[in-house]
Amino acid sequence: MEFVILAVVIALVAVGVISGLVVSSRKKKQLPPAPSSTPTITPPAEPHVGDEAETPRDESRRTIEEVGLPPTEAEEEQAPEAVAPPALDVPEPTAGRLVRLRTRLARSQNSLGKGLLTLLSRDNLDEDTWEEIEDTLLTADVGVAPTQELVERLRERVRVLGTRTPEGLRSLLREELLTLLGTDFDRAVKTESGVDTPGVVMVVGVNGTGKTTTTGKLARVLVADGRSVVLGAADTFRAAAADQLQTWGERVGARTVRGPEGGDPASIAFDAVKEGIGEGADVVLIDTAGRLHTKTGLMDELGKVKRVVEKHGPLDEILLVLDATTGQNGLVQARVFAEVVDITGIVLTKLDGTAKGGIVIAVQRELGVPVKLIGLGEGPDDLAPFDPEAFVDALIGD
Ligand SMILES: Nc1nc2c(ncn2[C@@H]2O[C@H](COP(=O)(O)OP(=O)(O)OP(=O)(O)O)[C@@H](O)[C@H]2O)c(=O)[nH]1
Ligand SMILES: [Mg+2]
């Protein structure tokens, strides 16, 4: 009886050893020396840490046909090309974005709205209260002239209408803020040339305001709308700038035209438009630098980029990107840029990180150009079309 059990054990171990040989060539090396002729009982190797993670003994074994050879070095090098391209992102539609992102606006800005409403709901709207209202608006970067205008009109209407209820005052405030923002600007980003060539959009602004991020987010919006996009990396200040843009593009399948670091931004922009025309793209988006290598001023350079691109035809949109958190500084920048290139729209970024949403009013006033887009976060879909009504509602709560 004992002999039978021993024979069965020997047979099992032999099967185990032989099938172990075909499992993998690596495993082979760890096995004890191969039995010479007749299998002998070899004690199982000492278990090591992590042994449990290995294939259990009784799992079905692969045959030699199923076990492929390890890739050769040459194959390993080629491997990445053989891999299917990564799936493209499906960007969110723009409709309803401001609603989705509204809490971000409200979170940072309800100080303005709440402050104003608290003041307006005081029983006695005396001189001091009106002054506090003025201060609140100024603190939110609405700007001196628009603030005075708003307070004057509000005072007058409150007096004439005898409005006293918080709801009544709230709706008057809403109307006045909307008047300041202007409800009849065309705020659509113009991405169609009206002829057979791609629409061309140039994005400008000082460094760090969010130009590249905005260009990337805008490309996503366009792709989501079924348009084909070519990106022009006309920021040659550092190679990483073009990489950053290209990364955005790759996620949605938009190609990036780029040149050498320190190369001529105008010629890259020119090439981007040329290639966009060549391949029948719908839109070409040109990202520009906020800083330069050369001694030429940023403004001279931008003027040149614009002139050179316009050899292909007029630019359809020049977006000035301003960082809302820089407040009044942004206005000074806006003025300088507006002198060199004809700004057609403003993108106000980082509104998620400031209580100074009033800058929207100030900057439109300054340039006479509408805010068209707002940035409400670093996420790829955190760019929303600017809608005055939704904005004011978020500002003062509805
Ligand atoms: N919170 C927040 N961050 C933003 C927003 N837009 C851009 N940023 C961040 O701002 C930083 C600068 O953005 P970039 O797009 O690189 O700015 P840029 O204008 O291209 O900068 P330069 O190329 O150096 O001129 C990045 O960390 C962005 O993620 C926004 O709407 N909200
Ligand atoms: Mg950039």
Side-chain angles (χ1 to χ4, degrees), residues 207-213 235 238 244 350 352 375-378:
N207 70 62
T209 49
K211 291 180 297 298
T212 307
T213 308
D235 177 357
R238 54 197 164 92
Q244 188 191 355
K350 312 188 194 180
D352 51 311
L376 288 160
E378 296 189 87

Side-chain angles (χ1 to χ4, degrees), residues 142-143 145-146 185 320 322 328 330-336 338-339 346 359-369:
V142 172
F185 271 123
L320 172 66
L322 293 175
Q328 298 293 317
L331 289 190
V332 180
Q333 294 164 21
R335 229 171 281 147
V336 176
E339 275 172 25
I346 298 159
I359 195 73
V360 174
I361 294 169
V363 73
Q364 278 194 166
R365 272 299 178 94
E366 185 65 36
L367 298 187
V369 163

Side-chain angles (χ1 to χ4, degrees), residues 107-119:
R107 199 166 53 214
S108 60
Q109 317 215 311
N110 57 14
S111 54
L112 170 64
K114 278 219 187 91
L116 288 176
L117 291 178
T118 313
L119 291 169

Side-chain angles (χ1 to χ4, degrees), residues 81-94:
E81 276 168 10
V83 172
L88 298 180
D89 282 8
V90 181
E92 248 184 39
T94 41

Side-chain angles (χ1 to χ4, degrees), residues 104 204-215 217 235 237-238 241 244 248 287-291 321 323 348-353 374-379 382-383:
R104 302 207 185 150
V204 303
V206 302
N207 70 62
T209 49
K211 291 180 297 298
T212 307
T213 308
T214 299
T215 310
K217 289 172 175 173
D235 177 357
F237 184 77
R238 54 197 164 92
Q244 188 191 355
W248 277 99
D287 180 29
T288 62
R291 280 168 298 180
V321 179
D323 176 342
L348 211 54
T349 60
K350 312 188 194 180
L351 268 172
D352 51 311
I374 53 177
L376 288 160
E378 296 189 87
D382 295 344
L383 181 77

